[in-house]
């Protein structure tokens, strides 16, 4: 099977022009099949501020009302996604920027209203890889922002880490799929203040004890859940660390194992 | 040769939810290959207002400084493009929303600074149909907004009518290509106040006299130039009128001929 690397980048790269350029230059040179998934960074909040739209959160999760969905669609699918695609083209990496609505590639369900109404937030229900596989065969890199659709005309805001893991699961049968979560740290750290305290392997066994010992911060839990979702659904390799982990074989980072 | 219909819609459809829904429902049902090109409508100006960004014009043409390019990219490639794609999917029409940067499909050159600096405005220099043809073969409808790129990492604002005619010219050798410019009138009118005064055929001969007689308004000239560009470059059919011209064989509209 061919190797497919799915790389998720977040705000620490998107919000830093030099870091983004540096990352995209290296990403372009990957000779295997590749998909990039990007989060939103701080631009959406800045645009919301300028437009006088209030950003509402509940326990760290964004509440996506219509005004915020509009802003997210503009910033994620427009500004950030197309800037990345144009930069990749400049590096001679053919790319196409997508939401889940494009090619009907990621269908999701609007999150049900319980005690909290998250608004236009979507939980992935279906990944269609047909069109994407054709793009990959043409050596085109799909670039996904974290917007999906419900198939009934509604765009939905979806967690970018989840988009990446669901895509990886969708491709796990047809490619030797590797999933890389890039963030600002060298991996999952035992001591958040010590960037050398990398937990090199997290598996289902030590994961439990890491949580019990309070060594995994709350912010890491959803990311790790996405990692375990992927690795338990035939994704070949799942890693968390700085982007260098993808390009430099000497890097140390966290690998998730069953 | 297979028929390919390239349809350009503008503000009168984009800015009117009911008109857009109605148009997309019918567009979805076209059984031939199809590409949709959309302009920007009034949303970009509204967003610019809200963000406190001044929209600068010179003789009816937008001057695209960085702040305006950002807004255009957000609104055209984000909000409008992805809303259209999601709606098409709801009508079971598989679609992919694109800028010229995606798939490197439309390359343009930044307009040279003369007495006026139009900023990040791009004039089309190259259309690459390879990826688009593959999408068409999969019965996917590409949906283009009027943003292109220079191949060096810069997104550029390009006239939507020109995007449509350049795409039509790019496909003219491989498809029996039909180009439809939809707008709010029944076609090019002899008397702008009389919606029945449709000039049914404009060719190079009567075009000159129409201009000399002052029967073609200044706003129509760039659109007609795009039409003549297309029809003199092997595009099979070029029409101007209300969207009904595409769907209803009894409609009367303007056809451009050599």
């Amino acid at each position: 099977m061919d190797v497919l690397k799915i790389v998720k980048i977040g705000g620490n790269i998107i919000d830093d022009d030099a870091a983004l350029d540096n990352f995209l230059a290296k990403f372009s040179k990957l000779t295997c099949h590749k998909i990039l998934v990007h989060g939103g960074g701080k631009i959406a909040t800045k645009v919301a501020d300028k437009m006088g739209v209030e950003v509402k959160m509940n326990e760290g999760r964004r509440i996506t009302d219509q005004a915020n969905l509009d802003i997210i669609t503009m910033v994620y699918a427009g500004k950030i996604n197309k800037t990345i695609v144009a930069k990749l083209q400049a590096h001679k990496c053919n790319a196409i920027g997508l939401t889940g609505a494009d090619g009907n590639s990621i269908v999701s369900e609007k999150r049900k209203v319980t005690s909290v109404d998250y608004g236009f937030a979507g939980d992935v229900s279906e990944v269609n890889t047909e069109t994407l596989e054709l793009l990959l065969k043409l050596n085109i890199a799909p670039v996904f922002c974290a917007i999906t659709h419900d198939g009934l005309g509604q765009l939905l805001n979806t967690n970018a880490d989840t988009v990446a893991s669901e895509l990886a699961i969708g491709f796990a049968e047809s490619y030797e799929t590797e999933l890389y979560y890039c963030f600002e740290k060298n991996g999952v750290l035992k001591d958040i203040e010590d960037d050398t305290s990398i937990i090199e392997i997290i598996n289902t066994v030590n994961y439990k004890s890491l949580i019990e010992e309070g060594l995994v911060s709350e912010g890491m839990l959803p990311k790790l859940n996405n990692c375990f979702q992927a690795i338990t659904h035939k994704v070949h390799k799942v890693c968390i660390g700085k982007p260098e982990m993808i390009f430099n074989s000497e890097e140390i980072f966290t690998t998730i194992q069953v």
Side-chain angles (χ1 to χ4, degrees), chain A:
Chain A
M1 281 204 286
D2 284 350
V3 172
L4 167 64
K5 290 188 202 283
I6 298 181
V7 180
K8 190 259 166 172
I9 57 171
N12 67 310
I13 298 177
I14 294 164
D15 292 332
D16 177 339
D17 281 349
L20 181 62
D21 282 342
N22 180 37
F23 169 80
L24 294 176
K26 288 177 182 166
F27 179 83
S28 300
K29 286 186 181 57
L30 291 174
T31 51
C32 60
H33 294 298
K34 49 192 184 281
I35 295 177
L36 184 59
V37 179
H38 62 83
K42 291 177 189 146
I43 311 175
T45 309
K46 278 186 198 161
V47 171
D49 276 354
K50 276 200 179 172
M51 291 184 71
V53 171
E54 189 191 350
V55 176
K56 291 172 202 153
M57 307 287 279
N58 181 279
E59 293 177 0
R61 291 176 110 163
R62 186 188 284 264
I63 292 181
T64 313
D65 60 11
Q66 182 63 54
N68 274 287
L69 179 69
D70 283 350
I71 287 169
I72 283 166
T73 308
M74 294 198 301
V75 174
Y76 297 3
K79 173 72 181 148
I80 298 174
N81 191 270
K82 298 313 172 189
T83 299
I84 289 174
V85 169
K87 281 176 188 283
L88 286 173
Q89 297 290 359
H91 288 295
K92 303 294 171 212
C93 169
N94 202 354
I96 285 192
L98 302 167
T99 66
D102 298 289
N104 194 30
S105 45
I106 310 175
V107 185
S108 63
E109 279 174 21
K110 188 171 180 290
R111 194 169 301 153
K112 291 213 165 46
V113 178
T114 52
S115 57
V116 188
D117 180 358
Y118 283 101
F120 296 104
D123 298 309
V124 177
S125 56
E126 187 185 313
V127 172
N128 297 309
T129 58
E130 216 186 52
T131 311
L132 302 175
E133 284 196 35
L134 261 150
L135 297 178
L136 293 174
K137 274 181 192 148
L138 290 169
N139 277 322
I140 295 176
V143 177
F144 272 93
C145 66
I147 293 172
T148 58
H149 78 138
D150 68 356
L152 305 168
Q154 181 64 55
L155 295 167
L156 294 166
N157 183 19
T158 297
N159 180 278
D161 286 352
T162 308
V163 165
S165 68
E166 292 285 351
L167 282 170
I169 293 167
F171 281 105
E173 303 263 4
S174 39
Y175 289 88
E176 192 177 297
T177 303
E178 301 177 5
L179 174 59
Y180 295 92
Y181 285 110
C182 301
F183 74 150
E184 66 281 7
K185 301 201 176 289
N186 282 327
V188 184
L189 304 177
K190 272 196 178 166
D191 174 3
I192 204 155
E193 303 296 319
D194 176 6
D195 216 26
T196 64
S197 67
I198 306 157
I199 307 169
E200 291 190 39
I201 290 172
I202 299 183
N203 54 34
T204 38
V205 179
N206 70 348
Y207 184 39
K208 272 194 180 173
S209 47
L210 285 167
I211 293 176
E212 282 163 11
E213 291 166 38
L215 287 174
V216 176
S217 68
E218 234 173 82
M220 281 303 294
L221 284 179
K223 198 183 280 293
L224 281 167
N225 285 340
N226 276 309
C227 290
F228 278 110
Q229 271 295 318
I231 203 72
T232 55
H233 285 84
K234 301 188 180 171
V235 175
H236 191 71
K237 201 172 162 184
V238 180
C239 310
I240 302 179
K242 290 193 176 158
E244 285 70 26
M245 69 180 158
I246 309 163
F247 312 115
N248 180 356
S249 61
E250 286 175 15
E251 282 291 308
I252 299 171
F253 50 88
T254 300
T255 300
I256 311 301
Q257 294 179 351
V258 185

